[in-house]
Amino acid sequence: MNKIKALSKDEAKGRIDALTQELNRHNYLYYALDRPEIPDEAYDSMLRELQGLEEAFPELKRPDSPTSRVGIPPTKAFKKVAHRAPMLSLDNVFTKAEFEEFDARIQRFLNARSPIEYCTEPKVDGIAVELVYENGLFVQGSTRGDGYTGEDVTANLKTIQQIPLRLLAPANSQGLPSLLEVRGEVYMTKREFLRLNEEREANLKPVFANPRNAAAGSLRQLDPKITARRRLRFFAHGVGMMEGESFRLHSEMMEAFERYGIPTAPKRKTCKGLQEAFSALETLESFRVQAPFGMDGAVVKVNDLELVRRLGDKTRSPRWAVAYKFSAIAGKTKVLDIRVFVGRTGVLTPVAILAPVNVGGVTVSRASLHTYDELAKKDVRIGDAVLVTRAGDVIPEVYAVLKEERTGKEAAFRMPERCVACGGNIIKEGAYYRCVRGLACNAQLKQTLRHFCSKGAFNVLGLGKKWLEKLLDNGVIHDVADVFLLHEKKEDLLALEGMGQRLLQNLLASIERSKRIQLARFLYALGIRHVGEYVAKQLAEHLRSLEAIERASKGELQEIPGVGPEIAESVSSFFQEPGNMRVIEKLRSLGVVVLNPTEQRCGSSPLRGKTFLFTGELERFSREEAKRLVEALGARAVSTPSAKVDYVIAGRNPGSKEQKSRELGLTIVDEPTFYKIIEANHAA
Ligand code: IVH
């Protein structure tokens, strides 16, 4: 943002080019290599500078700009894209014998005299996509579709940070293919999948069955803003067309992709011959449990690309590769009980309590049945013998009820009529049953408190689940704000079993430290429905103060990238609820200080805390940009004249606001003077 107005077009171009390249390099370090070199703040400030420049000089924005990863408006439907080379699927083998047949077929076809070199890789359970790079620039991305025609999901793919918008290359772009169609898999990590489902459950939305469905649902969103929030990832595993470069081995091509900045699947291995390849497949099978992503098998490919060419394709699948499918992870066990748990938003979830069983290396002793309807559909009864799997390698799931093993003693489950935690009334919302007592329901309060004190929120060290339960059960605290009253309750605390002087001191010190909290964390801590860490950051970044967020209309909220009508509704109604405002007031009165983003960065700006009002048209900036300019200096911009306004900036055709400002006796300045003020304060 620094001195934008003083930049000539040439200077701006130089700066935009440099920032684009630098930011893309840091993206690569961060997302592909997981080895960031600079703190987030430095990245953010470069990104903001680039955004400012691009707004001032829209014609200089580069197609590989990192700012184009979000903020593309939704489309009504995806365009169709014809694949230049068809995207085939793979034949499956399930046993070693079948794999031996595959190897023998290849040997025969090639009339080979020595063992074939193979490359083995995980088969990532995601969605197949094609990314087209022309002279290193990402120009189009599409789904597989029917193999011949897919859907254009370029805008959505651009939101995936791991996908380079421009390939990395030596300075002069030498050594890059002129056309490269990268084939690969868009996927969601198991962890992100669990997080997303938790969020959906809290928001009474249907959960995704497995990471693959979640990734598919997220990629095929007409609004790329939604895709951006889902933190998808990408692995490359092959190529469609390629011009201007060639490789001898599949493994060499994958290594080149990595140099270009394109992530490839981990645990790739080149193997000489059948035996070595098969043992690599077995290693991949045992990697499955700890893999951060869902795997539905492993893929074996002939490594020599000349042999690949000679082998060629059948109609649906290639001759040179095969998928080795892992056996289903399942275990047989018994349903000991079906219990109901109450979540943070009051949803009552039936959970099957199981006799512990090993499912693919993990002991499972409970499985959520999600909703009563789902439970009823499967007809799970207490005492039933069941098969348990892990959906997408993650979530324990009752896969099948072995009805033929029923003895007649099994007991059907009935949903309780009142909340199992507090006895409150229950209502049915869609597929969910929900206790309506909110924070008056202990189960809900318990989880809200845990969320409130958690790492991403107030980060109170030492107040884990165990202590929070004790504090609530013993009546030491009654709501979230009471955490900040604990220093007055030393006696009560010391009376709790397991609490000592030292622990108490550490706890109180941590509470004291957590009182100064960044706006984004504070918003997240409030537990507003639909406001996870990402949305909280967006709100903080764009509105910059709690007051502004409280006041923002639904329309204003929806202008923020990542905020749709549902989130806007939820945020706006949260701040209209007097009970919530009382909690915020109480937190403030107990010494909680919410730090606005500008206060942290522009601590010494002389314009900090000043109020600007813009009226009429400015020559150099849109009103919105001018507003951001002053906000970046710690000042704020309002739209109604009042005694609180320090500067009224009058552009062309100012109108009634200027009149009103004159009546109020405010300081009115013209556009050039405004720039002088800004310049002077930038220099300060
Ligand atoms: S190679 C001609 N390698 O599995 C197809 N595919 O069931 C060559 N997949 O459509 C594909 N991980 O989307 C290959 N390491 C991997 C893979 C992989 C996942 C997907 C791919 C393909 C599907 C076939």
Side-chain angles (χ1 to χ4, degrees), residues 88-90 121-124 128 144 184-185 237 265 299 301 318 320:
L88 302 178
S89 73
L90 289 170
E121 295 169 4
K123 186 164 186 307
V124 185
R144 176 172 182 274
E185 219 62 15
H237 52 56
V299 183
K301 302 169 181 177
W320 44 268

Side-chain angles (χ1 to χ4, degrees), residues 418-577:
R418 311 202 131 258
C419 172
V420 290
C422 70
N425 279 336
I426 294 175
I427 52 162
K428 192 159 191 246
E429 283 182 3
Y432 294 94
Y433 289 83
R434 201 154 75 87
C435 162
V436 294
R437 292 190 69 216
L439 293 184
C441 167
N442 236 17
Q444 292 175 58
L445 180 56
K446 246 176 218 174
Q447 291 179 68
T448 304
L449 259 166
R450 269 171 66 189
H451 172 79
F452 186 81
C453 295
S454 68
K455 209 163 146 217
F458 271 88
N459 190 23
V460 181
L461 304 173
L463 261 193
K465 184 175 172 202
K466 189 183 90 182
W467 283 110
L468 285 174
E469 275 183 12
K470 275 194 193 181
L471 294 177
L472 271 180
D473 294 345
N474 288 286
V476 184
I477 57 180
H478 302 97
D479 65 24
V480 291
D482 279 351
V483 169
F484 296 101
L485 264 176
L486 282 177
H487 61 283
E488 290 179 10
K489 303 205 169 170
K490 286 190 188 134
E491 313 275 273
D492 291 341
L493 286 164
L494 285 168
L496 297 175
E497 199 193 315
M499 181 60 78
Q501 283 291 356
R502 243 185 102 130
L503 200 60
L504 180 64
Q505 262 175 11
N506 288 343
L507 177 61
L508 294 180
S510 167
I511 292 174
E512 191 55 37
R513 274 198 303 276
S514 71
K515 275 186 183 168
R516 289 176 66 78
I517 184 169
Q518 288 160 15
L519 177 58
R521 280 167 168 270
F522 182 79
L523 290 170
Y524 174 66
L526 292 176
I528 306 168
R529 200 181 277 185
H530 302 303
V531 180
E533 284 176 280
Y534 174 80
V535 173
K537 266 201 186 132
Q538 291 294 89
L539 291 170
E541 181 79 359
H542 288 263
L543 294 172
R544 312 210 138 245
S545 75
L546 187 58
E547 294 69 30
I549 295 168
E550 283 169 19
R551 276 198 317 257
S553 67
K554 280 179 223 166
E556 284 163 341
L557 290 166
Q558 279 190 60
E559 282 168 18
I560 299 171
V563 177
E566 225 175 340
I567 300 179
E569 169 66 43
S570 162
V571 172
S572 153
S573 62
F574 181 91
F575 290 106
Q576 271 163 31
E577 170 63 43

Side-chain angles (χ1 to χ4, degrees), residues 108 116 119 125 209 364 368 405 409 445 494 560 584 621 639:
R108 269 200 310 279
I116 306 287
C119 195
D125 201 8
V364 171
S368 169
E405 293 192 20
K409 291 202 186 123
L445 180 56
L494 285 168
I560 299 171
I584 294 177
F621 291 102
S639 48

Side-chain angles (χ1 to χ4, degrees), residues 261-277:
I262 304 170
T264 60
K267 309 275 170 195
R268 185 178 56 241
K269 193 168 183 294
T270 48
C271 312
K272 265 263 168 291
L274 167 82
Q275 294 306 337
E276 213 179 300

Side-chain angles (χ1 to χ4, degrees), residues 230-247:
R230 299 282 176 82
R231 297 178 215 167
L232 294 171
R233 287 164 170 267
F234 176 77
F235 279 142
H237 52 56
V239 71
M241 302 282 271
M242 178 163 53
E243 286 164 13
E245 181 61 289
S246 63
F247 299 98

Side-chain angles (χ1 to χ4, degrees), residues 196-236:
L196 178 65
N197 264 357
E198 220 168 82
E199 186 183 290
R200 289 177 72 85
E201 204 147 11
N203 294 323
L204 309 183
K205 292 207 178 134
V207 292
F208 290 111
N210 54 51
R212 207 194 95 80
N213 286 2
S218 306
L219 183 65
R220 295 190 69 261
Q221 284 288 339
L222 290 170
D223 183 354
K225 276 188 207 157
I226 301 181
T227 312
R229 280 173 37 209
R230 299 282 176 82
R231 297 178 215 167
L232 294 171
R233 287 164 170 267
F234 176 77
F235 279 142

